[in-house]
Amino acid sequence: MKNRWFWAASFIVAAAGLLATGCRQSETAEEAEAPAPVQVTGVTQEPIRRIVAGDGVLFALSQSGVVPNISKPVVKFYVNRGDHVKEGQLVATLESRDLKAAVDNARAQVNQASLNVHSTELATVPESVVKAQSDVQSDTEQLDAAKRLLDSQQKLFEQGALAGRRVDEARVAFASAKAQLAGATEHLRALNSVSKGDQIATAQAQLQAANAQLAAAEAQLSYSEIHSPRSGVVADRPLYEGEMAVPGTPMLTVMDISKVVARINIPENHGGSVKVGQPADVIPADGGDTLQGRVTVVSPATDANSTTTQIWVEVDNPGEKLKPGASVHVKIITELVKNATTVPATAILPGEEGGTAVLVIDSDSIAHKHVVTLGIREGDKVQILNGARPGDEVVVVGGLGVDDKGKVKKVDTTVQESDDDDNAPAAPKASPKDQKKDEAKPKAK
């Protein structure tokens, strides 16, 4: 009896082992034949943009340093840092008492020179001319008298009633009177032509010199009042009242920040696609609202050290929230395709010979590897130029290792909300292996 029980037990154990081995082999075969689980999404048609991005720094649209023209102490400032000013507004005054005295002195010299011109034109010149005219008239009369005397003496000499010596004396007197008249006539001509003009010109030149000195003194006085060269906000004021303002050193800096300019450097291989006038998004580093701007400057040269091209993007600054010197991230939209065929970037797989491909799933859950040509990439979207069409389903997760024309199983990862409790987590779906095990179990009667 003992031997019988021993052989029966051995037979049962061996049968159980064979049964277990057969089950494991069956499960392994089922797992090998099970389709690969993948996640899929549809190929869409939507707008996509080619974007060139870079980090940069903000600058004011324009700025001016207010530099004094004279070296004087500051008497008073009328604005402080952060104040808004308008073009031409008085912002400071410098010491000017000595400059005012210089203006008064120059004005007195102008008055004196003006009186000199008046007296020269109305008094001095007419008296000289009248005297010269009188001299000419007197010398003319003397010449006529000397001529008559010479003629009379000449007749008497011819009649023998007068000695020849008296004729010679009359001839000498006539020559002397003639020479004197010639001198008086030349003097009158000189007064009427040269001397009169020179005296008036000299007096007028003195007046002009006095006016020039007055203008220079008034200019120096005007330099004591400092006006803003532009409208904007006072960004810097390094001096205090009483300190010396020096030419060449700014007293104030005025910035126009109604608009700001973001200056970014991009790789030279992207610089060719950026053009003046293209739209751009300016994103503050502190997480502020994105603002819309436009490219205004594309540097014609590439920096030799960094091999980058500098781009300027001008953007409106409502409320002056953007501050010069702040860091920003800029996205320049260099191209827009309105109806592009796009897939998620995770759908792109390595193709043969260094190309790219996607796995397209047909209605029978068969994967087909399609070689694709890529276009624009924006974020997690990639444009497909050829190899896939809108409406196709492509694998986005689980595609690596799936063979061409391989069987796959679509996995839905959407979380289902409970009717009783919206916050209750959905029960995880069973894997294909567990589902087959459950199907193999005998159902309870």
Side-chain angles (χ1 to χ4, degrees):
M1 290 295 294
K2 289 181 179 181
N3 289 334
R4 290 177 181 177
W5 282 108
F6 174 76
W7 287 110
S10 298
F11 176 78
I12 292 172
V13 170
L18 291 173
L19 180 62
T21 300
C23 291
R24 284 196 298 270
Q25 290 177 351
S26 176
E27 291 177 359
T28 301
E30 291 176 355
E31 291 177 1
E33 295 176 358
V38 294
Q39 296 178 20
V40 299
T41 190
V43 178
T44 60
Q45 194 170 35
E46 58 183 328
I48 192 169
R49 306 172 300 174
R50 187 188 302 276
I51 294 177
V52 175
D55 296 322
V57 178
L58 293 178
F59 290 82
L61 178 64
S62 60
Q63 70 178 45
S64 298
V66 183
V67 180
N69 292 321
I70 57 176
S71 181
K72 293 288 182 181
V74 179
V75 174
K76 186 173 181 60
F77 276 113
Y78 300 99
V79 295
N80 207 340
R81 182 179 298 181
D83 291 345
H84 286 77
V85 297
K86 295 183 178 180
E87 183 178 353
Q89 178 179 337
L90 180 66
V91 295
T93 55
L94 307 180
E95 176 60 47
S96 61
R97 287 175 293 182
D98 58 335
L99 301 177
K100 292 179 181 178
V103 168
D104 293 339
N105 182 46
R107 189 172 287 114
Q109 292 180 357
V110 168
N111 293 335
Q112 182 178 359
S114 179
L115 291 174
N116 184 37
V117 170
H118 182 73
S119 62
T120 300
E121 292 177 344
L122 299 181
T124 304
V125 172
E127 290 180 359
S128 300
V129 172
V130 169
K131 183 178 183 303
Q133 290 174 345
S134 300
D135 291 342
V136 170
Q137 185 177 1
S138 175
D139 292 341
T140 301
E141 293 175 353
Q142 289 180 6
L143 178 62
D144 291 343
K147 181 69 171 63
R148 289 194 300 270
L149 178 62
L150 176 59
D151 292 341
S152 173
Q153 295 290 346
Q154 185 69 30
K155 290 180 179 180
L156 291 175
F157 174 73
E158 291 175 354
Q159 296 174 359
L162 189 66
R165 179 177 59 81
R166 300 290 297 274
V167 175
D168 293 337
E169 290 177 356
R171 188 178 286 109
V172 170
F174 174 75
S176 176
K178 186 177 181 179
Q180 187 172 349
L181 176 60
T185 302
E186 181 63 22
H187 179 61
L188 177 60
R189 188 192 66 79
L191 287 177
N192 287 329
S193 60
V194 179
S195 298
K196 180 180 179 180
D198 288 346
Q199 291 180 15
I200 294 176
T202 301
Q204 291 177 343
Q206 291 175 350
L207 178 60
Q208 291 177 355
N211 282 322
Q213 291 179 357
L214 175 60
E218 289 176 341
Q220 290 290 315
L221 179 61
S222 67
Y223 293 154
S224 64
E225 294 184 347
I226 309 300
H227 298 265
S228 176
R230 66 173 63 253
S231 299
V233 62
V234 179
D236 191 19
R237 202 198 80 180
L239 296 181
Y240 292 92
E241 293 178 356
E243 292 186 318
M244 184 68 71
V246 180
T249 302
M251 299 173 55
L252 300 164
T253 300
V254 179
M255 289 184 175
D256 180 3
I257 57 174
S258 59
K259 294 182 179 181
V260 291
V261 177
R263 301 182 186 179
I264 65 172
N265 292 309
I266 61 174
E268 60 178 340
N269 58 334
H270 292 162
S273 62
V274 180
K275 308 295 181 183
V276 173
Q278 289 176 338
D281 294 336
V282 178
I283 307 168
D286 60 2
D289 296 336
T290 299
L291 298 176
Q292 303 299 317
R294 286 194 173 276
V295 176
T296 57
V297 174
V298 178
S299 177
T302 300
D303 184 87
N305 296 324
S306 62
T307 63
T308 58
T309 301
Q310 188 170 91
I311 308 297
W312 291 15
V313 175
E314 184 177 303
V315 58
D316 290 333
N317 189 17
E320 298 180 352
K321 295 180 181 180
L322 299 176
K323 305 299 182 183
S327 298
V328 292
H329 184 70
V330 179
K331 296 180 179 179
I332 302 171
I333 303 169
T334 61
E335 184 180 353
L336 172 64
V337 179
K338 294 183 178 180
N339 296 313
T341 301
T342 63
V343 297
T346 54
I348 306 302
L349 300 174
E352 297 179 357
E353 299 180 357
T356 53
V358 295
L359 286 176
V360 179
I361 308 302
D362 63 15
S363 58
D364 295 329
S365 296
I366 303 298
H368 301 274
K369 181 172 286 189
H370 289 191
V371 176
V372 294
T373 303
L374 305 183
I376 299 173
R377 181 186 294 265
E378 180 184 358
D380 61 349
K381 297 187 302 182
V382 181
Q383 180 189 15
I384 301 297
L385 298 178
N386 55 60
R389 296 175 297 178
D392 290 345
E393 284 189 327
V394 293
V395 175
V396 291
V397 176
L400 290 175
V402 176
D403 295 330
D404 186 26
K405 297 182 176 57
K407 184 72 173 178
V408 297
K409 181 176 182 178
K410 302 176 186 177
V411 177
D412 186 5
T413 58
T414 304
V415 177
Q416 301 294 334
E417 294 184 355
S418 172
D419 294 336
D420 298 332
D421 187 0
D422 292 341
N423 297 323
K429 292 187 176 182
S431 64
K433 175 180 176 182
D434 293 336
Q435 290 178 357
K436 290 186 176 181
K437 286 182 177 180
D438 291 340
E439 293 174 355
K441 291 180 181 180
K443 294 181 180 181
K445 292 183 180 180

